[in-house]
């Protein structure tokens, strides 16, 4: 067993799969901004995950994955509601005023929030360097958020993005035992499906809002429903299968830079110097915490929060 694990960790990185996953996830940030003129945040989330759920049902029919145990259904439901439905409503609302690049940088605080929740709820401990990393990351958040419209005032976009990051952090902890039992890809599929079910009441409103706007917003929504959810996670499952969780997790730090480039190419967004500085500070704090924040190694999430 040890020889198999060692062999896997020394396998070459599957670069095409990594690029496909990162590009697919990064597309969500600018595409949401492009769809928001047509759809309100909640109907947008409903239609996006209604489309994703349709693809997932096809995948279920082809692969026949393990059905959740009855005892696990409440946890799956919480993951779908908190990690998919509520997260995306807050994410969409925040992106009404916060740029795609700034949103992706602010969401880098999620691993730290997961650690804080673990400290409060699970009685885990952070080392001194962990708390230093926390202070550094939050100072980066202040730098980024202070440059957004409304700053961190109630109802401002940056506040919604931070609330989304908190949902993401909670989601990390909730799904951890499910991933251990069902695997990352199957767990993600059930979470996405149940998130789509939770958003189902707003699906008719989304269809009505898009009526009369032509094919373009529908095309954007199909891409949103298919690529960041289905394609990205399938590609990432291959990456994790090839090189393991520990080695693949570090590659997730490339998501924010990728999002900045994709947002510039697709939506013409140019991040301010303040946003870039704040993002670098946030990332430095997160890296410090991940490497030295706890007495034992910190498990990075298997994948980023669903953007």
């Amino acid at each position: 067993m040890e020889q198999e694990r060692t062999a896997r960790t020394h396998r070459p990185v599957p670069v095409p799969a990594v690029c496909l996953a990162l590009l697919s996830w990064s597309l969500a940030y600018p595409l949401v901004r492009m769809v928001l003129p047509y759809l309100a945040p909640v109907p947008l989330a409903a239609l996006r995950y209604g489309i994703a759920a349709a693809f997932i049902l096809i995948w279920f029919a082809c692969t026949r994955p393990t059905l959740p145990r009855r005892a696990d259904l409440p946890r799956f439901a919480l993951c779908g509601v908190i990690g998919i439905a509520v997260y995306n409503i807050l994410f969409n609302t925040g992106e009404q005023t916060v740029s795609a690049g700034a949103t992706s940088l602010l969401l880098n605080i999620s691993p730290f929030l997961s650690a804080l929740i673990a400290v409060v709820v699970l009685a885990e401990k952070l080392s001194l360097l962990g708390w230093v990393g926390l202070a550094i990351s939050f100072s980066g958040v202040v730098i980024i958020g202070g440059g957004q419209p409304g700053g961190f005032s109630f109802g401002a976009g940056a506040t919604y993005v931070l609330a989304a990051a908190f949902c993401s952090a909670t989601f990390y902890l909730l799904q951890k035992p499910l991933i251990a039992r069902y695997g990352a890809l199957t767990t993600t599929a059930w979470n996405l499906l149940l998130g789509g079910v939770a958003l189902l009441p707003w699906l008719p409103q989304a269809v009505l809002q898009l009526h009369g706007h032509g094919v373009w917003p529908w095309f954007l929504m199909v891409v949103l429903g298919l690529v960041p959810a289905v394609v990205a996670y399938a590609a990432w499952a291959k990456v994790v299968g090839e090189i393991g969780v520990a080695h693949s997790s570090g590659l997730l730090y490339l998501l924010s830079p990728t999002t900045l480039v994709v947002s510039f190419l697709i939506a013409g967004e140019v991040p301010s110097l303040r946003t870039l500085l704040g993002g670098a500070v946030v990332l430095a704090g997160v890296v410090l915490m991940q490497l030295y924040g706890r007495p034992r190694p910190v498990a990075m999430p298997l994948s980023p929060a669903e953007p």
Side-chain angles (χ1 to χ4, degrees), residues 49-86:
Y49 287 95
I51 294 170
F55 286 107
I56 289 166
L57 287 174
I58 296 172
W59 183 74
F60 278 176
C62 295
T63 61
R64 304 294 178 90
T66 304
L67 294 174
R69 302 176 187 176
R70 182 177 299 179
D72 290 330
L73 287 176
R75 185 178 289 268
F76 268 114
L78 277 175
C79 286
V81 171
I82 295 174
I84 303 300
V86 177

PDB file of all heavy atoms in Angstrom, residues 49-86:
ATOM      1  N   TYR A  49     -28.191  25.822 -11.887  1.00  0.00           N
ATOM      2  CA  TYR A  49     -28.114  24.495 -11.292  1.00  0.00           C
ATOM      3  C   TYR A  49     -29.252  23.588 -11.735  1.00  0.00           C
ATOM      4  O   TYR A  49     -29.160  22.365 -11.566  1.00  0.00           O
ATOM      5  CB  TYR A  49     -27.987  24.615  -9.771  1.00  0.00           C
ATOM      6  CG  TYR A  49     -26.599  25.083  -9.445  1.00  0.00           C
ATOM      7  CD1 TYR A  49     -26.325  26.435  -9.243  1.00  0.00           C
ATOM      8  CD2 TYR A  49     -25.543  24.187  -9.450  1.00  0.00           C
ATOM      9  CE1 TYR A  49     -25.040  26.870  -9.029  1.00  0.00           C
ATOM     10  CE2 TYR A  49     -24.245  24.617  -9.231  1.00  0.00           C
ATOM     11  CZ  TYR A  49     -23.999  25.956  -9.023  1.00  0.00           C
ATOM     12  OH  TYR A  49     -22.714  26.391  -8.835  1.00  0.00           O
ATOM     13  N   GLY A  50     -30.287  24.161 -12.328  1.00  0.00           N
ATOM     14  CA  GLY A  50     -31.264  23.326 -13.005  1.00  0.00           C
ATOM     15  C   GLY A  50     -30.636  22.672 -14.228  1.00  0.00           C
ATOM     16  O   GLY A  50     -30.832  21.477 -14.494  1.00  0.00           O
ATOM     17  N   ILE A  51     -29.848  23.455 -14.972  1.00  0.00           N
ATOM     18  CA  ILE A  51     -29.126  22.910 -16.135  1.00  0.00           C
ATOM     19  C   ILE A  51     -28.084  21.892 -15.686  1.00  0.00           C
ATOM     20  O   ILE A  51     -27.964  20.798 -16.264  1.00  0.00           O
ATOM     21  CB  ILE A  51     -28.472  24.055 -16.928  1.00  0.00           C
ATOM     22  CG1 ILE A  51     -29.551  24.945 -17.557  1.00  0.00           C
ATOM     23  CG2 ILE A  51     -27.535  23.507 -18.009  1.00  0.00           C
ATOM     24  CD1 ILE A  51     -29.022  26.226 -18.164  1.00  0.00           C
ATOM     25  N   ALA A  52     -27.327  22.226 -14.639  1.00  0.00           N
ATOM     26  CA  ALA A  52     -26.314  21.293 -14.131  1.00  0.00           C
ATOM     27  C   ALA A  52     -26.966  19.988 -13.669  1.00  0.00           C
ATOM     28  O   ALA A  52     -26.440  18.894 -13.922  1.00  0.00           O
ATOM     29  CB  ALA A  52     -25.544  21.934 -12.985  1.00  0.00           C
ATOM     30  N   ALA A  53     -28.120  20.103 -13.002  1.00  0.00           N
ATOM     31  CA  ALA A  53     -28.809  18.907 -12.507  1.00  0.00           C
ATOM     32  C   ALA A  53     -29.230  17.997 -13.657  1.00  0.00           C
ATOM     33  O   ALA A  53     -29.192  16.766 -13.523  1.00  0.00           O
ATOM     34  CB  ALA A  53     -30.023  19.316 -11.674  1.00  0.00           C
ATOM     35  N   ALA A  54     -29.628  18.586 -14.774  1.00  0.00           N
ATOM     36  CA  ALA A  54     -30.022  17.776 -15.930  1.00  0.00           C
ATOM     37  C   ALA A  54     -28.840  16.945 -16.434  1.00  0.00           C
ATOM     38  O   ALA A  54     -28.982  15.742 -16.726  1.00  0.00           O
ATOM     39  CB  ALA A  54     -30.553  18.679 -17.036  1.00  0.00           C
ATOM     40  N   PHE A  55     -27.668  17.562 -16.528  1.00  0.00           N
ATOM     41  CA  PHE A  55     -26.474  16.817 -16.948  1.00  0.00           C
ATOM     42  C   PHE A  55     -26.093  15.754 -15.919  1.00  0.00           C
ATOM     43  O   PHE A  55     -25.658  14.645 -16.274  1.00  0.00           O
ATOM     44  CB  PHE A  55     -25.308  17.766 -17.174  1.00  0.00           C
ATOM     45  CG  PHE A  55     -25.408  18.583 -18.431  1.00  0.00           C
ATOM     46  CD1 PHE A  55     -25.700  19.933 -18.386  1.00  0.00           C
ATOM     47  CD2 PHE A  55     -25.219  18.004 -19.671  1.00  0.00           C
ATOM     48  CE1 PHE A  55     -25.794  20.691 -19.545  1.00  0.00           C
ATOM     49  CE2 PHE A  55     -25.309  18.737 -20.839  1.00  0.00           C
ATOM     50  CZ  PHE A  55     -25.603  20.088 -20.768  1.00  0.00           C
ATOM     51  N   ILE A  56     -26.246  16.075 -14.635  1.00  0.00           N
ATOM     52  CA  ILE A  56     -25.888  15.126 -13.584  1.00  0.00           C
ATOM     53  C   ILE A  56     -26.821  13.918 -13.608  1.00  0.00           C
ATOM     54  O   ILE A  56     -26.383  12.769 -13.405  1.00  0.00           O
ATOM     55  CB  ILE A  56     -25.923  15.827 -12.209  1.00  0.00           C
ATOM     56  CG1 ILE A  56     -24.738  16.796 -12.108  1.00  0.00           C
ATOM     57  CG2 ILE A  56     -25.869  14.814 -11.072  1.00  0.00           C
ATOM     58  CD1 ILE A  56     -24.840  17.766 -10.974  1.00  0.00           C
ATOM     59  N   LEU A  57     -28.106  14.133 -13.873  1.00  0.00           N
ATOM     60  CA  LEU A  57     -29.043  13.009 -13.959  1.00  0.00           C
ATOM     61  C   LEU A  57     -28.661  12.073 -15.109  1.00  0.00           C
ATOM     62  O   LEU A  57     -28.791  10.846 -14.986  1.00  0.00           O
ATOM     63  CB  LEU A  57     -30.464  13.539 -14.138  1.00  0.00           C
ATOM     64  CG  LEU A  57     -31.094  14.183 -12.895  1.00  0.00           C
ATOM     65  CD1 LEU A  57     -32.439  14.799 -13.244  1.00  0.00           C
ATOM     66  CD2 LEU A  57     -31.268  13.143 -11.780  1.00  0.00           C
ATOM     67  N   ILE A  58     -28.195  12.647 -16.207  1.00  0.00           N
ATOM     68  CA  ILE A  58     -27.716  11.809 -17.316  1.00  0.00           C
ATOM     69  C   ILE A  58     -26.498  11.000 -16.873  1.00  0.00           C
ATOM     70  O   ILE A  58     -26.387   9.799 -17.166  1.00  0.00           O
ATOM     71  CB  ILE A  58     -27.373  12.684 -18.541  1.00  0.00           C
ATOM     72  CG1 ILE A  58     -28.636  13.370 -19.072  1.00  0.00           C
ATOM     73  CG2 ILE A  58     -26.704  11.853 -19.632  1.00  0.00           C
ATOM     74  CD1 ILE A  58     -28.359  14.396 -20.155  1.00  0.00           C
ATOM     75  N   TRP A  59     -25.584  11.646 -16.152  1.00  0.00           N
ATOM     76  CA  TRP A  59     -24.396  10.959 -15.644  1.00  0.00           C
ATOM     77  C   TRP A  59     -24.790   9.846 -14.673  1.00  0.00           C
ATOM     78  O   TRP A  59     -24.238   8.739 -14.710  1.00  0.00           O
ATOM     79  CB  TRP A  59     -23.470  11.964 -14.964  1.00  0.00           C
ATOM     80  CG  TRP A  59     -22.191  11.365 -14.460  1.00  0.00           C
ATOM     81  CD1 TRP A  59     -21.118  10.974 -15.198  1.00  0.00           C
ATOM     82  CD2 TRP A  59     -21.863  11.074 -13.087  1.00  0.00           C
ATOM     83  NE1 TRP A  59     -20.138  10.466 -14.373  1.00  0.00           N
ATOM     84  CE2 TRP A  59     -20.561  10.520 -13.093  1.00  0.00           C
ATOM     85  CE3 TRP A  59     -22.535  11.247 -11.878  1.00  0.00           C
ATOM     86  CZ2 TRP A  59     -19.930  10.123 -11.913  1.00  0.00           C
ATOM     87  CZ3 TRP A  59     -21.911  10.856 -10.710  1.00  0.00           C
ATOM     88  CH2 TRP A  59     -20.619  10.296 -10.726  1.00  0.00           C
ATOM     89  N   PHE A  60     -25.771  10.123 -13.801  1.00  0.00           N
ATOM     90  CA  PHE A  60     -26.260   9.105 -12.876  1.00  0.00           C
ATOM     91  C   PHE A  60     -26.816   7.893 -13.636  1.00  0.00           C
ATOM     92  O   PHE A  60     -26.581   6.744 -13.262  1.00  0.00           O
ATOM     93  CB  PHE A  60     -27.358   9.685 -11.984  1.00  0.00           C
ATOM     94  CG  PHE A  60     -26.845  10.466 -10.806  1.00  0.00           C
ATOM     95  CD1 PHE A  60     -27.727  11.119  -9.969  1.00  0.00           C
ATOM     96  CD2 PHE A  60     -25.494  10.556 -10.529  1.00  0.00           C
ATOM     97  CE1 PHE A  60     -27.278  11.841  -8.875  1.00  0.00           C
ATOM     98  CE2 PHE A  60     -25.016  11.272  -9.445  1.00  0.00           C
ATOM     99  CZ  PHE A  60     -25.918  11.918  -8.610  1.00  0.00           C
ATOM    100  N   ALA A  61     -27.581   8.171 -14.697  1.00  0.00           N
ATOM    101  CA  ALA A  61     -28.178   7.084 -15.472  1.00  0.00           C
ATOM    102  C   ALA A  61     -27.111   6.214 -16.133  1.00  0.00           C
ATOM    103  O   ALA A  61     -27.303   5.003 -16.291  1.00  0.00           O
ATOM    104  CB  ALA A  61     -29.119   7.660 -16.525  1.00  0.00           C
ATOM    105  N   CYS A  62     -25.983   6.823 -16.487  1.00  0.00           N
ATOM    106  CA  CYS A  62     -24.913   6.076 -17.169  1.00  0.00           C
ATOM    107  C   CYS A  62     -24.001   5.337 -16.198  1.00  0.00           C
ATOM    108  O   CYS A  62     -23.491   4.255 -16.511  1.00  0.00           O
ATOM    109  CB  CYS A  62     -24.076   7.024 -18.023  1.00  0.00           C
ATOM    110  SG  CYS A  62     -24.980   7.783 -19.392  1.00  0.00           S
ATOM    111  N   THR A  63     -23.769   5.923 -15.011  1.00  0.00           N
ATOM    112  CA  THR A  63     -22.768   5.364 -14.100  1.00  0.00           C
ATOM    113  C   THR A  63     -23.357   4.637 -12.891  1.00  0.00           C
ATOM    114  O   THR A  63     -22.641   3.862 -12.250  1.00  0.00           O
ATOM    115  CB  THR A  63     -21.839   6.480 -13.587  1.00  0.00           C
ATOM    116  OG1 THR A  63     -22.619   7.456 -12.865  1.00  0.00           O
ATOM    117  CG2 THR A  63     -21.129   7.173 -14.754  1.00  0.00           C
ATOM    118  N   ARG A  64     -24.621   4.909 -12.564  1.00  0.00           N
ATOM    119  CA  ARG A  64     -25.277   4.276 -11.410  1.00  0.00           C
ATOM    120  C   ARG A  64     -24.410   4.392 -10.143  1.00  0.00           C
ATOM    121  O   ARG A  64     -23.949   3.388  -9.593  1.00  0.00           O
ATOM    122  CB  ARG A  64     -25.573   2.805 -11.685  1.00  0.00           C
ATOM    123  CG  ARG A  64     -26.416   2.549 -12.924  1.00  0.00           C
ATOM    124  CD  ARG A  64     -27.819   3.110 -12.736  1.00  0.00           C
ATOM    125  NE  ARG A  64     -28.619   2.923 -13.930  1.00  0.00           N
ATOM    126  CZ  ARG A  64     -29.381   1.843 -14.158  1.00  0.00           C
ATOM    127  NH1 ARG A  64     -29.407   0.875 -13.265  1.00  0.00           N
ATOM    128  NH2 ARG A  64     -30.089   1.774 -15.262  1.00  0.00           N
ATOM    129  N   PRO A  65     -24.158   5.628  -9.662  1.00  0.00           N
ATOM    130  CA  PRO A  65     -23.302   5.783  -8.473  1.00  0.00           C
ATOM    131  C   PRO A  65     -24.002   5.276  -7.210  1.00  0.00           C
ATOM    132  O   PRO A  65     -25.203   4.998  -7.209  1.00  0.00           O
ATOM    133  CB  PRO A  65     -23.106   7.301  -8.399  1.00  0.00           C
ATOM    134  CG  PRO A  65     -24.348   7.856  -9.013  1.00  0.00           C
ATOM    135  CD  PRO A  65     -24.704   6.908 -10.124  1.00  0.00           C
ATOM    136  N   THR A  66     -23.240   5.184  -6.143  1.00  0.00           N
ATOM    137  CA  THR A  66     -23.773   4.724  -4.859  1.00  0.00           C
ATOM    138  C   THR A  66     -24.845   5.685  -4.347  1.00  0.00           C
ATOM    139  O   THR A  66     -24.651   6.905  -4.339  1.00  0.00           O
ATOM    140  CB  THR A  66     -22.646   4.627  -3.818  1.00  0.00           C
ATOM    141  OG1 THR A  66     -21.617   3.774  -4.323  1.00  0.00           O
ATOM    142  CG2 THR A  66     -23.157   4.094  -2.492  1.00  0.00           C
ATOM    143  N   LEU A  67     -25.965   5.134  -3.922  1.00  0.00           N
ATOM    144  CA  LEU A  67     -27.022   5.969  -3.351  1.00  0.00           C
ATOM    145  C   LEU A  67     -26.646   6.365  -1.929  1.00  0.00           C
ATOM    146  O   LEU A  67     -26.044   5.572  -1.192  1.00  0.00           O
ATOM    147  CB  LEU A  67     -28.351   5.214  -3.339  1.00  0.00           C
ATOM    148  CG  LEU A  67     -28.965   4.890  -4.705  1.00  0.00           C
ATOM    149  CD1 LEU A  67     -30.200   4.013  -4.516  1.00  0.00           C
ATOM    150  CD2 LEU A  67     -29.328   6.169  -5.441  1.00  0.00           C
ATOM    151  N   PRO A  68     -26.988   7.591  -1.512  1.00  0.00           N
ATOM    152  CA  PRO A  68     -26.678   7.991  -0.135  1.00  0.00           C
ATOM    153  C   PRO A  68     -27.429   7.125   0.889  1.00  0.00           C
ATOM    154  O   PRO A  68     -28.585   6.752   0.675  1.00  0.00           O
ATOM    155  CB  PRO A  68     -27.168   9.449  -0.067  1.00  0.00           C
ATOM    156  CG  PRO A  68     -27.239   9.902  -1.482  1.00  0.00           C
ATOM    157  CD  PRO A  68     -27.581   8.689  -2.278  1.00  0.00           C
ATOM    158  N   ARG A  69     -26.767   6.832   1.979  1.00  0.00           N
ATOM    159  CA  ARG A  69     -27.439   6.152   3.079  1.00  0.00           C
ATOM    160  C   ARG A  69     -28.462   7.097   3.704  1.00  0.00           C
ATOM    161  O   ARG A  69     -28.307   8.308   3.667  1.00  0.00           O
ATOM    162  CB  ARG A  69     -26.418   5.738   4.145  1.00  0.00           C
ATOM    163  CG  ARG A  69     -25.307   4.831   3.647  1.00  0.00           C
ATOM    164  CD  ARG A  69     -24.311   4.577   4.771  1.00  0.00           C
ATOM    165  NE  ARG A  69     -23.141   3.851   4.291  1.00  0.00           N
ATOM    166  CZ  ARG A  69     -22.079   3.578   5.057  1.00  0.00           C
ATOM    167  NH1 ARG A  69     -22.070   3.979   6.330  1.00  0.00           N
ATOM    168  NH2 ARG A  69     -21.050   2.916   4.558  1.00  0.00           N
ATOM    169  N   ARG A  70     -29.485   6.509   4.287  1.00  0.00           N
ATOM    170  CA  ARG A  70     -30.531   7.338   4.894  1.00  0.00           C
ATOM    171  C   ARG A  70     -29.948   8.258   5.964  1.00  0.00           C
ATOM    172  O   ARG A  70     -30.339   9.416   6.077  1.00  0.00           O
ATOM    173  CB  ARG A  70     -31.617   6.445   5.497  1.00  0.00           C
ATOM    174  CG  ARG A  70     -32.779   7.221   6.115  1.00  0.00           C
ATOM    175  CD  ARG A  70     -33.856   6.288   6.632  1.00  0.00           C
ATOM    176  NE  ARG A  70     -34.426   5.487   5.550  1.00  0.00           N
ATOM    177  CZ  ARG A  70     -35.384   4.580   5.737  1.00  0.00           C
ATOM    178  NH1 ARG A  70     -35.845   4.338   6.974  1.00  0.00           N
ATOM    179  NH2 ARG A  70     -35.870   3.910   4.713  1.00  0.00           N
ATOM    180  N   ALA A  71     -28.998   7.744   6.737  1.00  0.00           N
ATOM    181  CA  ALA A  71     -28.400   8.552   7.812  1.00  0.00           C
ATOM    182  C   ALA A  71     -27.612   9.740   7.267  1.00  0.00           C
ATOM    183  O   ALA A  71     -27.414  10.735   7.979  1.00  0.00           O
ATOM    184  CB  ALA A  71     -27.498   7.672   8.679  1.00  0.00           C
ATOM    185  N   ASP A  72     -27.154   9.640   6.004  1.00  0.00           N
ATOM    186  CA  ASP A  72     -26.351  10.716   5.418  1.00  0.00           C
ATOM    187  C   ASP A  72     -27.199  11.749   4.673  1.00  0.00           C
ATOM    188  O   ASP A  72     -26.670  12.788   4.251  1.00  0.00           O
ATOM    189  CB  ASP A  72     -25.323  10.137   4.438  1.00  0.00           C
ATOM    190  CG  ASP A  72     -24.220   9.369   5.139  1.00  0.00           C
ATOM    191  OD1 ASP A  72     -23.906   9.721   6.285  1.00  0.00           O
ATOM    192  OD2 ASP A  72     -23.691   8.415   4.534  1.00  0.00           O
ATOM    193  N   LEU A  73     -28.481  11.481   4.473  1.00  0.00           N
ATOM    194  CA  LEU A  73     -29.320  12.393   3.697  1.00  0.00           C
ATOM    195  C   LEU A  73     -29.384  13.801   4.295  1.00  0.00           C
ATOM    196  O   LEU A  73     -29.306  14.781   3.553  1.00  0.00           O
ATOM    197  CB  LEU A  73     -30.729  11.812   3.538  1.00  0.00           C
ATOM    198  CG  LEU A  73     -30.841  10.628   2.571  1.00  0.00           C
ATOM    199  CD1 LEU A  73     -32.269  10.077   2.574  1.00  0.00           C
ATOM    200  CD2 LEU A  73     -30.451  11.057   1.160  1.00  0.00           C
ATOM    201  N   PRO A  74     -29.526  13.966   5.635  1.00  0.00           N
ATOM    202  CA  PRO A  74     -29.541  15.335   6.179  1.00  0.00           C
ATOM    203  C   PRO A  74     -28.251  16.106   5.885  1.00  0.00           C
ATOM    204  O   PRO A  74     -28.290  17.303   5.571  1.00  0.00           O
ATOM    205  CB  PRO A  74     -29.733  15.125   7.689  1.00  0.00           C
ATOM    206  CG  PRO A  74     -30.405  13.803   7.796  1.00  0.00           C
ATOM    207  CD  PRO A  74     -29.828  12.978   6.684  1.00  0.00           C
ATOM    208  N   ARG A  75     -27.107  15.424   5.958  1.00  0.00           N
ATOM    209  CA  ARG A  75     -25.830  16.098   5.674  1.00  0.00           C
ATOM    210  C   ARG A  75     -25.737  16.463   4.197  1.00  0.00           C
ATOM    211  O   ARG A  75     -25.283  17.544   3.840  1.00  0.00           O
ATOM    212  CB  ARG A  75     -24.657  15.220   6.102  1.00  0.00           C
ATOM    213  CG  ARG A  75     -23.291  15.895   5.945  1.00  0.00           C
ATOM    214  CD  ARG A  75     -22.179  14.985   6.433  1.00  0.00           C
ATOM    215  NE  ARG A  75     -22.180  14.850   7.870  1.00  0.00           N
ATOM    216  CZ  ARG A  75     -21.487  15.617   8.703  1.00  0.00           C
ATOM    217  NH1 ARG A  75     -20.717  16.600   8.220  1.00  0.00           N
ATOM    218  NH2 ARG A  75     -21.539  15.428   9.996  1.00  0.00           N
ATOM    219  N   PHE A  76     -26.169  15.545   3.316  1.00  0.00           N
ATOM    220  CA  PHE A  76     -26.192  15.868   1.896  1.00  0.00           C
ATOM    221  C   PHE A  76     -27.105  17.064   1.628  1.00  0.00           C
ATOM    222  O   PHE A  76     -26.765  17.951   0.831  1.00  0.00           O
ATOM    223  CB  PHE A  76     -26.666  14.659   1.080  1.00  0.00           C
ATOM    224  CG  PHE A  76     -25.562  13.765   0.600  1.00  0.00           C
ATOM    225  CD1 PHE A  76     -25.441  12.467   1.075  1.00  0.00           C
ATOM    226  CD2 PHE A  76     -24.635  14.218  -0.325  1.00  0.00           C
ATOM    227  CE1 PHE A  76     -24.422  11.633   0.621  1.00  0.00           C
ATOM    228  CE2 PHE A  76     -23.607  13.404  -0.783  1.00  0.00           C
ATOM    229  CZ  PHE A  76     -23.505  12.102  -0.303  1.00  0.00           C
ATOM    230  N   ALA A  77     -28.257  17.092   2.283  1.00  0.00           N
ATOM    231  CA  ALA A  77     -29.194  18.204   2.086  1.00  0.00           C
ATOM    232  C   ALA A  77     -28.584  19.520   2.542  1.00  0.00           C
ATOM    233  O   ALA A  77     -28.713  20.552   1.863  1.00  0.00           O
ATOM    234  CB  ALA A  77     -30.497  17.926   2.837  1.00  0.00           C
ATOM    235  N   LEU A  78     -27.906  19.495   3.687  1.00  0.00           N
ATOM    236  CA  LEU A  78     -27.239  20.712   4.172  1.00  0.00           C
ATOM    237  C   LEU A  78     -26.161  21.166   3.199  1.00  0.00           C
ATOM    238  O   LEU A  78     -26.012  22.369   2.937  1.00  0.00           O
ATOM    239  CB  LEU A  78     -26.631  20.468   5.553  1.00  0.00           C
ATOM    240  CG  LEU A  78     -27.557  20.593   6.759  1.00  0.00           C
ATOM    241  CD1 LEU A  78     -26.803  20.205   8.032  1.00  0.00           C
ATOM    242  CD2 LEU A  78     -28.098  22.012   6.873  1.00  0.00           C
ATOM    243  N   CYS A  79     -25.400  20.215   2.666  1.00  0.00           N
ATOM    244  CA  CYS A  79     -24.361  20.567   1.688  1.00  0.00           C
ATOM    245  C   CYS A  79     -24.975  21.212   0.460  1.00  0.00           C
ATOM    246  O   CYS A  79     -24.458  22.206  -0.064  1.00  0.00           O
ATOM    247  CB  CYS A  79     -23.575  19.313   1.286  1.00  0.00           C
ATOM    248  SG  CYS A  79     -22.422  18.714   2.534  1.00  0.00           S
ATOM    249  N   GLY A  80     -26.086  20.657  -0.028  1.00  0.00           N
ATOM    250  CA  GLY A  80     -26.733  21.231  -1.195  1.00  0.00           C
ATOM    251  C   GLY A  80     -27.289  22.617  -0.941  1.00  0.00           C
ATOM    252  O   GLY A  80     -27.158  23.519  -1.779  1.00  0.00           O
ATOM    253  N   VAL A  81     -27.886  22.805   0.241  1.00  0.00           N
ATOM    254  CA  VAL A  81     -28.496  24.105   0.555  1.00  0.00           C
ATOM    255  C   VAL A  81     -27.431  25.158   0.843  1.00  0.00           C
ATOM    256  O   VAL A  81     -27.437  26.251   0.269  1.00  0.00           O
ATOM    257  CB  VAL A  81     -29.460  23.964   1.749  1.00  0.00           C
ATOM    258  CG1 VAL A  81     -29.920  25.339   2.229  1.00  0.00           C
ATOM    259  CG2 VAL A  81     -30.679  23.126   1.359  1.00  0.00           C
ATOM    260  N   ILE A  82     -26.483  24.822   1.745  1.00  0.00           N
ATOM    261  CA  ILE A  82     -25.482  25.811   2.169  1.00  0.00           C
ATOM    262  C   ILE A  82     -24.389  25.984   1.111  1.00  0.00           C
ATOM    263  O   ILE A  82     -24.032  27.106   0.744  1.00  0.00           O
ATOM    264  CB  ILE A  82     -24.852  25.402   3.517  1.00  0.00           C
ATOM    265  CG1 ILE A  82     -25.909  25.421   4.619  1.00  0.00           C
ATOM    266  CG2 ILE A  82     -23.686  26.336   3.874  1.00  0.00           C
ATOM    267  CD1 ILE A  82     -25.419  24.895   5.950  1.00  0.00           C
ATOM    268  N   GLY A  83     -23.849  24.861   0.621  1.00  0.00           N
ATOM    269  CA  GLY A  83     -22.690  24.924  -0.260  1.00  0.00           C
ATOM    270  C   GLY A  83     -23.006  25.250  -1.702  1.00  0.00           C
ATOM    271  O   GLY A  83     -22.132  25.714  -2.437  1.00  0.00           O
ATOM    272  N   ILE A  84     -24.246  25.015  -2.127  1.00  0.00           N
ATOM    273  CA  ILE A  84     -24.616  25.287  -3.509  1.00  0.00           C
ATOM    274  C   ILE A  84     -25.645  26.413  -3.586  1.00  0.00           C
ATOM    275  O   ILE A  84     -25.383  27.471  -4.165  1.00  0.00           O
ATOM    276  CB  ILE A  84     -25.169  24.024  -4.194  1.00  0.00           C
ATOM    277  CG1 ILE A  84     -24.141  22.885  -4.130  1.00  0.00           C
ATOM    278  CG2 ILE A  84     -25.555  24.333  -5.639  1.00  0.00           C
ATOM    279  CD1 ILE A  84     -22.827  23.188  -4.811  1.00  0.00           C
ATOM    280  N   ALA A  85     -26.824  26.232  -2.981  1.00  0.00           N
ATOM    281  CA  ALA A  85     -27.915  27.199  -3.147  1.00  0.00           C
ATOM    282  C   ALA A  85     -27.589  28.550  -2.500  1.00  0.00           C
ATOM    283  O   ALA A  85     -27.532  29.581  -3.174  1.00  0.00           O
ATOM    284  CB  ALA A  85     -29.205  26.624  -2.570  1.00  0.00           C
ATOM    285  N   VAL A  86     -27.363  28.551  -1.193  1.00  0.00           N
ATOM    286  CA  VAL A  86     -27.120  29.822  -0.488  1.00  0.00           C
ATOM    287  C   VAL A  86     -25.810  30.446  -0.948  1.00  0.00           C
ATOM    288  O   VAL A  86     -25.725  31.662  -1.180  1.00  0.00           O
ATOM    289  CB  VAL A  86     -27.114  29.605   1.040  1.00  0.00           C
ATOM    290  CG1 VAL A  86     -26.785  30.913   1.768  1.00  0.00           C
ATOM    291  CG2 VAL A  86     -28.458  29.066   1.503  1.00  0.00           C
TER     292      VAL A  86
END
